[in-house]
Amino acid sequence: MPTGVLRTARKGLATVAMLKANFDARHDHIGMFEPFVRDTIAQLGRDDFTLDELRVEIGERHQLRLPFNTLRTLLARLVRDGVLQREAGRYFRTHELAGAVDLCEQRERVEGQQARLADALCVEAQSHGVELGTDAALTLILRFIERYHVALALDGVTVIPAEGRDAALDDDDDGADDGGLLATAAFLRRVALAGGEMTDVLQAMVEGFVLQNTLLLKDVSSAHRQFHGLQVFCDSSVLFAALGLRGPAAEKATVELLTLLRDTGAVLGAFEPTIREMRRILAIYEDAVATAHGRERLHPTELTRFVLSQNYGPSDVRIRSELMMRDLRELGFEIRETPQRRPQFTLDEGKLGRMLRDRRRGGENHPRVVHDVDCVAGVLTLRAGGSASSIDDCRAVFMTGSSMTVRNTTRWYRAQGGRGFPPIVHHLALSNFAWLKRPSSASELKLHELVALCTAALRPSRATWEAFRDHLGRMETNGELSSDEVTAITVSALTEDLLAEEGIGDDVDAESLAEVIDRVKASYRVEMDQEIRRIRAEAEQERAQAEREKAEIERRARAAEALAEERAQEAAARAAVAAERQNGVKARIRKVASASSWLLAGLLTISLIAGVVVGIVHTAAGRPPGAVALALAVGPLTVFGALSVLSGFTIKRWRRCVEERLFRWLGSWLVGPDDEPPRPKP
């Protein structure tokens, strides 16, 4: 491996990490490059230089390709600060530049951190059968991020690598092959998810690449501005990811991107043709998952992986399709019909269809091609012939995850004489634009996007998958595997990892495929044993918990019974005491009533006797009975006599009646209503 290539890789990785540090400290999209300019000027072997000469020196020293406009702005700042003087198109150093900081120490520290990351990759690659040194590992990391990263070209055209496993690194003099690519993808995904120092180093690299790409913008200062009501119409791949139908990695990165777009002033939308396309795709899955043969014939996409791994049946797919509109609106999407075509704005749609047809059956009449043409035409109609050099002001754009569609549409737009930002953009490119505006709003977005890219890179190629599927079909036909086993092997995450390892060169033989199947089945046996042990342990824990709960319930029941019995005894004792007290009070009341009745009876008897005596005295004296005699004797005797004749009245009965009435009245007043029945009359 040439030393120059390794040195370039090491410089490039260190530079992007230092860019990220400068950006965090300065929050200035141009000022973050000033330390590199100062350092290069300080290390020049002469005092004067031109802009072109300095640009070449910066590229060699720091692996930074500064555009003329950006470098001219930086040099103008240094002239204004008195660091440089400009005469006749040349720049001259002044004595004030002697204090410029040498970046060597910072670079050495960053390179040391990245070297530890590279050493960890060497260990990872060795487990995949690939021998790497530290410098070669750094080169692989650089090439992977560059290959899968979305760059921004000078004229706003998005330059995007092919997706997935088919975008393997080209063989060159560094010896990077598919094995190294797969090892790098697996390693970067694990590091991104692990957290810690190496994750921070990797994140600085990825975000540094985004910052470096802003150098390629015409107007770097526009990176801070909000989108001016930009309408972003999303493709089905983006919408499926947002709905979680392409797996958790894609969902997390996509939802974070959508949130960031809203925070930076964009309006999320989807055209009705996209919704209809998604329903059509889900209808295909609804039919396919109904049978084992249908499941086996599905293409190995992220959507297929999700549907099969979740054991979706036809009803599950149908429910997701019916709830799709509601779920998208909850995510903040506005669903719109494409605007009515206006030929003066939509350019040559037929030519676009021919450029997009690729190798699809049906050519430009393929449903996917028709959909893409409709969406691009809708965006151009909304722009109404307007053009903008920056995406901030272009009014509308179609966002997709298909690099082929972006490349061909952009070429078509330029060939048609289209100016400014094209009507289509890759979701990673738009993510870079939005992230540069508010990095703090999506601090882990770039890391999560890298995880999704690594996951895509680790998928087996279509040729490998087709060979594997045919091999599974033969084994099922021969009775070596059941339909359920074929489905389980197909959806296993381990299957994709093993096929990626075995699929180098896409020339996998039957022996290798059989080894993959055996390893997956072995893993299932291990998983089954672990699952059985887990189920037994859980059952034992549940049984012990049930016994503890039963014992606790019985203890509480016994305690409740004892408490109830104790309270009943206390209530009976209180009732007995109360009854005893009440009986005592009633006895005393009875005595008072009896004494009162006897007193009244005695008074009545005395009254009669006194009346008789007075009457006799008056009669003996020859006088008629007076009023006193009549009141004391004659009146009562007359009344009592009449009552005696009519009702059998006697003094004794009257006294007892008075006693009983007094008892009840006093008892009701002092004790309360008396429930005792009245005493029977004698």
Side-chain angles (χ1 to χ4, degrees):
M1 188 180 302
T3 304
V5 174
L6 300 179
R7 183 168 57 252
T8 298
R10 185 182 292 274
K11 279 187 177 181
L13 286 172
T15 296
V16 296
M18 293 162 68
L19 272 175
K20 177 61 169 57
N22 293 341
F23 178 71
D24 290 341
R26 291 174 175 269
H27 299 283
D28 184 338
H29 289 81
I30 294 181
M32 64 183 175
F33 304 112
E34 185 175 328
F36 299 98
V37 176
R38 285 176 171 268
D39 175 76
T40 304
I41 294 174
Q43 302 303 317
L44 284 175
R46 57 190 183 278
D47 291 333
D48 63 310
F49 55 87
T50 64
L51 188 148
D52 289 333
E53 292 171 348
L54 181 62
R55 186 168 179 263
V56 172
E57 291 290 340
I58 293 174
E60 292 181 355
R61 182 172 177 81
H62 296 293
Q63 294 302 303
L64 279 176
R65 295 180 297 276
L66 287 170
F68 288 99
N69 292 337
T70 302
L71 184 55
R72 185 179 293 110
T73 301
L74 288 170
L75 292 177
R77 289 185 180 184
L78 296 179
V79 171
R80 185 178 62 249
D81 295 340
V83 174
L84 297 176
Q85 291 181 353
R86 186 172 185 271
E87 295 180 7
R90 298 187 69 83
Y91 294 88
F92 297 86
R93 290 191 303 184
T94 68
H95 63 280
E96 298 180 20
L97 194 63
V101 178
D102 190 346
L103 298 181
C104 291
E105 181 179 351
Q106 182 182 359
R107 181 178 296 279
E108 289 176 359
R109 183 176 66 256
V110 172
E111 289 180 350
Q113 295 173 339
Q114 294 178 350
R116 290 191 291 273
L117 181 68
D119 291 339
L121 173 57
C122 293
V123 176
E124 180 92 5
Q126 191 172 13
S127 65
H128 289 262
V130 179
E131 295 293 335
L132 293 175
T134 301
D135 290 334
L138 282 173
T139 303
L140 272 177
I141 293 174
L142 174 63
R143 292 293 180 84
F144 184 90
I145 296 177
E146 284 183 336
R147 183 74 178 186
Y148 287 90
H149 189 268
V150 177
L152 307 175
L154 278 168
D155 58 354
V157 178
T158 309
V159 181
I160 310 142
E163 299 96 346
R165 180 70 167 78
D166 295 329
L169 295 176
D170 296 329
D171 290 336
D172 53 20
D173 56 4
D174 65 3
D177 57 14
D178 283 354
L181 170 70
L182 296 173
T184 304
F187 171 74
L188 294 179
R189 181 174 64 175
R190 182 174 60 80
V191 170
L193 294 173
E197 180 185 0
M198 285 200 298
T199 303
D200 295 337
V201 173
L202 178 60
Q203 184 171 359
M205 288 182 185
V206 177
E207 294 180 352
F209 269 103
V210 178
L211 293 170
Q212 181 177 249
N213 284 338
T214 62
L215 290 171
L216 303 178
L217 291 171
K218 287 184 178 179
D219 184 9
V220 179
S221 61
S222 67
H224 269 314
R225 296 203 306 258
Q226 291 280 94
F227 292 120
H228 296 164
L230 174 66
Q231 300 179 77
V232 180
F233 294 95
C234 298
D235 195 8
S236 56
S237 60
V238 178
L239 298 180
F240 276 135
L243 293 172
L245 293 174
R246 289 177 52 198
E251 179 184 11
K252 178 178 290 188
T254 304
V255 170
E256 288 184 4
L257 169 59
L258 298 177
T259 301
L260 179 61
L261 288 174
R262 287 195 297 269
D263 291 344
T264 51
V267 179
L268 301 178
F271 286 128
E272 281 289 351
T274 304
I275 302 301
R276 291 193 290 269
E277 181 187 57
M278 295 173 69
R279 294 191 187 281
R280 178 180 60 81
I281 293 173
L282 290 177
I284 294 174
Y285 277 87
E286 182 180 343
D287 294 336
V289 298
T291 63
H293 177 73
R295 292 193 297 269
E296 294 168 11
R297 305 311 297 179
L298 287 171
H299 292 299
T301 64
E302 291 175 323
L303 181 57
T304 299
R305 164 79 182 167
F306 177 82
V307 169
L308 296 181
S309 64
Q310 297 298 314
N311 293 319
Y312 269 16
S315 61
D316 300 308
V317 179
R318 190 181 313 114
I319 290 173
R320 292 304 299 263
S321 178
E322 292 174 352
L323 297 179
M324 182 172 59
M325 293 286 284
R326 184 206 67 181
D327 295 339
L328 289 176
R329 288 194 175 97
E330 288 181 354
L331 288 170
F333 286 96
E334 178 186 356
I335 312 301
R336 296 178 53 182
E337 281 286 358
T338 53
Q340 186 175 1
R341 293 283 214 286
R342 301 180 66 180
Q344 67 268 33
F345 300 142
T346 58
L347 308 178
D348 189 347
E349 298 180 43
K351 185 174 182 179
L352 175 59
R354 290 189 293 274
M355 292 184 67
L356 293 178
R357 66 188 178 186
D358 195 27
R359 294 182 296 275
R360 294 186 175 96
R361 295 178 181 178
E364 55 264 33
N365 294 322
H366 188 279
R368 177 65 194 177
V369 174
V370 174
H371 163 268
D372 293 341
V373 172
D374 287 342
C375 291
V376 171
V379 168
L380 291 174
T381 303
L382 290 173
R383 290 186 178 184
S387 63
S389 60
S390 170
I391 191 173
D392 302 83
D393 306 313
C394 69
R395 296 185 58 183
V397 70
F398 178 49
M399 181 174 70
T400 181
S402 170
S403 60
M404 183 274 292
T405 303
V406 174
R407 282 198 304 270
N408 290 339
T409 302
T410 302
R411 291 169 183 166
W412 166 82
Y413 182 69
R414 295 288 180 242
Q416 293 288 309
R419 294 179 300 172
F421 200 89
I424 193 169
V425 65
H426 195 280
H427 72 91
L428 291 179
L430 187 55
S431 170
N432 289 347
F433 282 115
W435 182 83
L436 287 167
K437 297 179 183 299
R438 297 184 65 176
S440 59
S441 296
S443 58
E444 295 185 341
L445 172 60
K446 296 291 116 184
L447 208 58
H448 293 157
E449 287 177 345
L450 180 63
V451 172
L453 289 172
C454 290
T455 301
L458 288 170
R459 289 199 305 266
S461 67
R462 184 175 294 275
T464 301
W465 184 261
E466 293 291 343
F468 177 70
R469 192 175 60 182
D470 292 341
H471 189 77
L472 281 177
R474 289 192 296 271
M475 294 186 71
E476 183 180 4
T477 302
N478 297 334
E480 300 177 54
L481 293 174
S482 66
S483 175
D484 291 338
E485 287 177 324
V486 169
T487 301
I489 293 173
T490 301
V491 303
S492 172
L494 180 61
T495 299
E496 290 188 353
D497 293 341
L498 294 176
L499 284 176
E501 293 179 7
E502 298 292 340
I504 302 174
D506 295 332
D507 56 353
V508 184
D509 55 20
E511 183 178 352
S512 299
L513 294 175
E515 181 181 352
V516 169
I517 294 172
D518 289 340
R519 291 175 64 180
V520 175
K521 290 172 64 177
S523 71
Y524 271 122
R525 284 194 292 270
V526 173
E527 293 176 1
M528 186 178 298
D529 292 340
Q530 293 175 348
E531 184 68 13
I532 291 174
R533 287 194 295 269
R534 184 186 64 80
I535 292 174
R536 286 177 177 174
E538 290 180 354
E540 182 63 26
Q541 291 177 357
E542 291 177 357
R543 185 187 63 79
Q545 181 66 20
E547 291 180 354
R548 289 193 295 270
E549 291 177 354
K550 180 180 178 181
E552 180 65 16
I553 292 173
E554 292 177 350
R555 184 189 67 78
R556 291 182 179 180
R558 289 193 297 271
E561 291 176 358
L563 180 61
E565 183 177 356
E566 181 180 352
R567 290 180 176 176
Q569 292 175 355
E570 291 178 357
R574 288 194 298 269
V577 171
E580 184 178 353
R581 291 177 179 175
Q582 188 176 17
N583 291 335
V585 173
K586 288 182 177 181
R588 289 191 291 274
I589 293 174
R590 177 69 67 180
K591 290 179 181 180
V592 171
S594 178
S596 300
S597 66
W598 278 107
L599 177 61
L600 291 174
L603 292 175
L604 182 59
T605 302
I606 292 172
S607 172
L608 291 173
I609 294 173
V612 171
V613 171
V614 171
I616 293 173
V617 171
H618 282 205
T619 301
R623 296 193 302 270
V628 175
L630 291 174
L632 294 176
V634 178
L637 284 175
T638 303
V639 175
F640 289 165
L643 292 174
S644 175
V645 172
L646 295 175
S647 61
F649 174 80
T650 62
I651 294 296
K652 181 179 180 180
R653 290 183 63 185
W654 177 81
R655 185 196 66 77
R656 289 185 176 177
C657 182
V658 171
E659 178 185 345
E660 191 63 31
R661 288 182 180 276
L662 285 173
F663 174 75
R664 287 187 174 276
W665 178 76
L666 291 173
S668 177
W669 178 44
L670 297 175
V671 179
D674 190 3
D675 296 332
E676 293 184 3
R679 290 186 178 182
K681 297 180 180 180

